[in-house]
Amino acid sequence: MARRVVATTAALGMLSLVVGCSGSDDQKEYDVPGALCGVPVDPDLVSPFLPSGKKIRVSETRPVPSRKICRLDVDSKWALMTNVEWWPEGASSATVASGNPQLDKAQLSSDGNLYSGTGAVVLVKGCKNSHHDEQLLFTSLRVHDPDLGDVSAMKKLAAAYTGAVGRSDECA
């Protein structure tokens, strides 16, 4: 009987070691960036929305003068996307969010911004730019993997990102 208990205990120990080692596939082997296309942001705020993987790539595009897109790809698959978008005065967060499937179940906050676990649309308050007269600047964030969604964490990331955009050249 004692042999069976020792053997079972040893087998369970080996199994937990194997399971523990297999968890290394869930690690981020890349450094989470401290800026999203020139917009400084705490990597600890970005990290919860990025999947495990080996390599991260950050790319910026400006498809039109009123929009800047920053895309983070992990192992060649898009993981997180941020947008900085100028919209006509009177536009709402809901209008900006209308093309963002990550905000389908978003909650409108008391300040008019939208948040879900996988996305956000936030007005950059007080932002003025002579190239965008009579326009409002919004930021939006989109996370590809719905399993990485977290409303509280998204609110923190969106607030930090939007604040940094408000202090950038975009609002000069």
Side-chain angles (χ1 to χ4, degrees), residues 154-169:
M154 178 55 71
K155 284 181 178 181
K156 290 176 186 174
L157 173 58
Y161 180 76
T162 302
V165 168
R167 293 183 296 277
S168 75
D169 290 345

Side-chain angles (χ1 to χ4, degrees), residues 32-79:
V32 176
L36 304 176
C37 298
V39 178
V41 64
D42 184 342
D44 290 339
L45 296 175
V46 177
S47 186
F49 300 106
L50 298 176
S52 61
K54 296 180 186 234
K55 184 178 175 186
I56 191 166
R57 179 175 176 252
V58 180
S59 59
E60 178 182 327
T61 57
R62 215 178 246 279
V64 293
S66 61
R67 185 173 183 202
K68 178 171 93 171
I69 302 169
C70 184
R71 179 173 155 157
L72 282 72
D73 293 344
V74 174
D75 295 342
S76 302
K77 295 177 187 163
W78 90 266

Side-chain angles (χ1 to χ4, degrees), residues 11-42:
L12 287 174
M14 300 262 296
L15 180 61
S16 65
L17 181 61
V18 169
V19 170
C21 289
S22 69
S24 65
D25 291 343
D26 295 333
Q27 300 299 315
K28 293 177 179 130
E29 296 180 28
Y30 53 85
D31 291 328
V32 176
L36 304 176
C37 298
V39 178
V41 64
D42 184 342

